[in-house]
C-alpha cells in the first residue's frame, strides 16, 4: 500500500513530529462546488485547520497515485479539470490501474486516510440513504464505509435531498455513533435542525476525542460522525430551501439521473434554484467544520 501513497512535505513533517492531521476530500472541490469558489474554499479550509493547531491533508488521485496532501497547483487542478472522476470504494482499482485522475468521496477519502494513518476527516455533508430508496436502492457507499473504516468524520449532518430518518436508521444498524456537537438535534446541512435527534450530545473537543478513543480501544472498528450544525447566521431554514430541494428532486427524476451523478446533479440544481444562497451556506459550514475538526484532532493527540 505504501507505494501507492504520495505525501506532501507538510504531511510528512507532521507525521514525523507527531502533529495532529486532518484529512479533506476532493469530490467536494471537483463535483461539489463551482469554480472558483471551490478552490478558494479548499485553500481557506486548509488554512483554518492550520490556525486551529492541526495540519491539513487534502486527498485525491492524480495519474493513479493517491496523494495525501495536495500542492496549491494540484488543488487548482482538481478545481478546474473536467477529466477527474468521482471515486468511491468501487472505483478505486480501475482508476489506479488505468492511472487516471480521481476525486475522492467521503467513502474513498476515509479509505485513503486510514491507509495513511489519519484518524480525522473534515467535510461538508455525508452521503446517505436517498428518498425513495425503498424503490431505487440508492444508499451512499459513505454509509457502508462509516460502518467499517476507523476514521472520525466531522460534518454538518446530511442534506434533506436525502431521507434523514432512514440515514440515521442505517447508521444505527451498522453501529456508527452519531454525536451532536453542542446540539441535541441532527443538523440537516443547510439548516441547524432536521426534526431528528442525535445519539449522544457532547460539548467540547476533549469529550469527543475521549469517546472516539474509547470506541477504538474497545476494538470497535468503524467511523464516528460528529455532526456540527451550520452557524446560526449562515443557516437557510428548511422552510426556505424545501421547495428548491423538492424541485431539484423532481428534475432528477424526470431526467432519469442515476448512480453517482445523482448527488452532484442535486447540489448544482439547488444552488441554481436558490440563486447561489446554498453555495454561500455550504462554504460557511465547511469552514466551521474545519475549525471544530482541527480542535478535536488536536485534543485527541493530547
Ligand atoms: N454532499 C455535499 N457535497 C459533496 C458531496 C456530498 O454537500 O460534494 C459529495 C461527497 O464527496 C460525498 C458524495 O461523499 O458526494 C456522496 O455521493 P453519493 O451520494 O453518490 O455516494
Ligand atoms: Mn448513490
Amino acid at each position: 500500500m505504501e507505494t501507492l501513497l504520495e505525501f506532501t512535505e507538510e504531511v510528512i513533517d507532521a507525521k514525523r513530529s507527531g502533529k495532529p492531521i486532518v484529512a479533506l476530500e476532493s469530490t467536494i472541490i471537483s463535483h461539489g462546488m463551482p469554480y472558483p469558489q471551490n478552490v478558494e474554499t479548499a485553500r481557506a479550509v486548509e488554512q483554518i485547520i492550520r490556525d486551529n493547531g492541526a495540519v491539513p491533508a487534502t486527498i485525491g488521485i492524480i495519474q493513479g497515485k493517491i496523494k495525501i496532501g495536495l500542492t496549491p497547483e494540484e488543488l487548482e487542478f482538481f478545481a478546474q479539470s473536467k477529466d477527474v472522476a468521482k471515486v468511491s470504494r468501487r472505483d478505486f482499482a480501475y482508476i489506479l490501474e488505468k492511472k487516471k485522475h480521481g476525486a475522492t468521496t467521503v467513502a474513498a477519502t476515509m479509505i485513503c486516510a486510514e491507509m495513511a494513518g489519519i484518524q480525522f476527516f473534515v467535510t461538508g455533508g455525508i452521503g446517505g440513504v436517498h428518498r425513495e430508496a425503498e424503490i431505487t436502492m440508492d444508499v451512499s457507499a459513505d454509509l457502508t464505509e462509516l460502518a467499517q473504516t476507523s476514521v472520525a468524520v466531522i460534518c454538518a449532518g446530511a442534506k434533506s435531498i436525502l431521507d434523514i430518518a432512514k440515514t440515521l436508521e442505517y447508521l444505527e444498524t451498522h453501529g456508527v455513533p452519531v454525536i451532536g456537537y453542542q446540539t441535541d438535534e441532527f443538523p440537516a446541512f443547510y439548516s441547524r435542525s432536521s426534526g431528528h435527534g442525535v445519539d449522544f450530545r457532547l460539548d467540547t473537543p476533549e469529550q469527543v476525542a475521549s469517546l472516539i478513543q474509547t470506541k477504538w480501544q474497545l476494538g470497535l472498528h468503524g467511523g464516528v460522525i460528529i455532526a456540527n450544525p451550520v452557524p446560526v447566521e449562515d443557516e437557510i431554514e428548511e422552510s426556505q430551501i424545501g421547495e428548491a430541494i423538492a424541485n431539484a428532486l423532481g428534475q432528477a427524476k424526470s431526467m432519469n439521473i442515476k448512480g453517482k451523478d445523482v448527488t452532484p446533479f442535486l447540489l448544482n440544481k439547488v444552488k441554481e434554484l436558490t440563486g447561489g444562497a446554498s453555495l454561500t451556506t455550504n462554504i460557511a459550514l465547511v469552514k466551521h467544520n474545519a475549525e471544530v475538526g482541527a480542535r478535536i484532532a488536536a485534543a485527541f493527540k493530547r
Side-chain angles (χ1 to χ4, degrees):
M1 285 304 183
E2 291 268 298
T3 61
L4 301 175
L5 303 182
E6 281 182 5
F7 295 80
T8 51
E9 282 301 319
E10 186 184 22
V11 177
I12 291 173
D13 181 63
K15 284 194 142 284
R16 278 206 197 107
S17 53
K19 285 191 203 136
I21 305 174
V22 174
L24 298 160
E25 60 157 310
S26 41
T27 295
I28 190 174
I29 304 173
S30 64
H31 295 75
M33 285 185 195
Y35 186 82
Q37 288 90 342
N38 55 1
V39 67
E40 287 163 9
T41 305
R43 275 194 227 112
V45 162
E46 288 199 345
Q47 194 52 43
I48 291 167
I49 286 173
R50 293 185 191 103
D51 295 344
N52 285 276
V55 170
T58 305
I59 292 177
I61 303 167
I62 298 180
Q63 286 182 344
K65 285 278 182 191
I66 300 173
K67 302 280 181 180
I68 310 293
L70 299 178
T71 64
E73 295 73 34
E74 289 167 343
L75 272 188
E76 191 71 37
F77 170 74
F78 278 103
Q80 293 213 40
S81 175
K82 297 279 165 253
D83 189 27
V84 174
K86 177 181 164 191
V87 173
S88 193
R89 173 174 276 266
R90 69 102 195 254
D91 310 291
F92 252 107
Y94 177 82
I95 297 294
L96 262 56
E97 167 70 21
K98 296 286 182 206
K99 306 219 178 322
K100 288 180 182 280
H101 312 305
T104 50
T105 62
V106 168
T109 305
M110 288 178 76
I111 293 171
C112 298
E114 190 176 56
M115 280 184 202
I118 301 172
Q119 289 131 322
F120 294 88
F121 165 27
V122 161
T123 188
I126 53 165
V129 180
H130 283 255
R131 298 195 198 182
E132 299 186 7
E134 66 278 17
I135 299 162
T136 63
M137 298 265 286
D138 191 352
V139 178
S140 173
D142 292 354
L143 299 186
T144 39
E145 207 58 52
L146 281 157
Q148 60 181 315
T149 301
S150 297
V151 173
V153 180
I154 295 89
C155 65
K159 262 172 287 342
S160 54
I161 58 171
L162 301 168
D163 187 322
I164 293 179
K166 286 195 185 77
T167 300
L168 292 171
E169 288 293 348
Y170 192 98
L171 291 167
E172 181 187 1
T173 301
H174 291 274
V176 180
V178 176
I179 298 170
Y181 188 75
Q182 299 178 346
T183 181
D184 295 303
E185 211 177 324
F186 186 69
F189 195 83
Y190 302 116
S191 331
R192 293 175 59 85
S193 58
S194 67
H196 301 277
V198 290
D199 302 329
F200 316 106
R201 172 186 177 140
L202 296 174
D203 291 315
T204 66
E206 288 73 20
Q207 289 170 3
V208 176
S210 293
L211 180 140
I212 294 169
Q213 191 190 23
T214 301
K215 178 184 191 304
W216 290 338
Q217 270 179 350
L218 286 165
L220 297 175
H221 303 294
V224 175
I225 291 178
I226 297 104
N228 179 40
V230 58
V232 181
E233 60 274 22
D234 302 302
E235 173 178 36
I236 309 178
E237 281 176 35
E238 184 64 34
S239 57
Q240 285 165 19
I241 201 153
E243 200 183 310
I245 287 173
N247 192 330
L249 285 164
Q251 290 192 45
K253 202 170 182 174
S254 64
M255 289 170 71
N256 203 21
I257 308 289
K258 293 246 160 65
K260 69 181 190 179
D261 298 330
V262 172
T263 299
F265 177 89
L266 292 173
L267 287 175
N268 186 45
K269 273 290 166 235
V270 171
K271 188 205 83 188
E272 280 173 21
L273 293 164
T274 58
S278 69
L279 178 60
T280 307
T281 296
N282 197 344
I283 293 168
L285 65 84
V286 179
K287 288 181 178 174
H288 187 221
N289 292 344
E291 182 190 326
V292 170
R295 290 174 59 213
I296 293 170
F300 189 85
K301 269 287 174 202
R302 285 197 294 277

